[in-house]
Amino acid sequence: MKKILTILALFWLYSGYTVLAEPATLIGSEQCFMCHDTQKEAWGANPHRAIKEECEACHGPGSAHQDSGGEKKLIKRNPGEEVCDRCHLTNSTIEAASNPRKLSRKLWENSVHQQMGFSCLNCHDPHKIKNYRLLKINGIKWNCYVCHADKKKTFEASLHGQNGVRCNDCHLPHGSENNHLLKGSEGDKYFCQKCHNEQPHHFIASKVSTQINKLTCLDCHMRHYSAKKFLKFKKEDLCRNCHAEPY
């Protein structure tokens, strides 16, 4: 019997198996801050501070990590999107519309960003407390330019860019039922008139579009930039685009 136990012990020792450790437990953020002093300085202003478990709500129980002297494999160093989803996604469209910290699960999962493999952490850093909405780069449009670099030069030179218009004034980065993640239908005069409500030609266009039922702002204007004040054509050629013959 003793020989059998010795053989089993040797097998266990050399086969690479180890005794399972007890599950890690919560230790509280103050224990985390004993080593992570940089995060401690900023934590007081972090909106995530309201979460009961604080650090461990996202990074998991920290006792094993602490007891090992900081072994990185014993803590969730880079929590995935599923951690954000627990608090920030909702199946309620009403809640998503009324609570700025909630997103529609349906819109996000059907959005072009999610379908291309983007996650929350592509744009956000939960520790960047000085940045607007915890963005990795302060300023919404600068985050957008990381991927949409082709729009930067022209948009910054446009009247919209020079007058402080931001990407999210027209777009919903977390999902939309409209094309191009727009807040309203593309080219919809009512969408554009939320800002452009004093230009008289827009009201004229409204009357015309009622008759034709197809005319939109984008029939005459560019979306992001044009050297001709967002017009698609020179002023003298603009009307001729539809009215080839004088009347």
Side-chain angles (χ1 to χ4, degrees), residues 169-218:
D169 287 322
C170 297
H171 298 277
L172 292 166
H174 299 115
S176 168
E177 294 179 348
N178 302 304
N179 291 334
H180 308 298
L181 299 178
L182 285 167
K183 289 184 175 181
S185 299
E186 186 176 22
D188 183 356
K189 58 183 178 292
Y190 299 111
F191 175 49
C192 298
Q193 284 176 0
K194 288 180 179 179
C195 294
H196 302 282
N197 55 5
E198 295 181 359
Q199 284 79 357
H201 67 277
H202 285 160
F203 295 105
I204 295 171
S206 297
K207 294 177 181 178
V208 175
S209 64
T210 300
Q211 298 171 16
I212 301 177
N213 202 30
K214 290 184 179 180
L215 188 65
T216 72
C217 302
L218 294 180

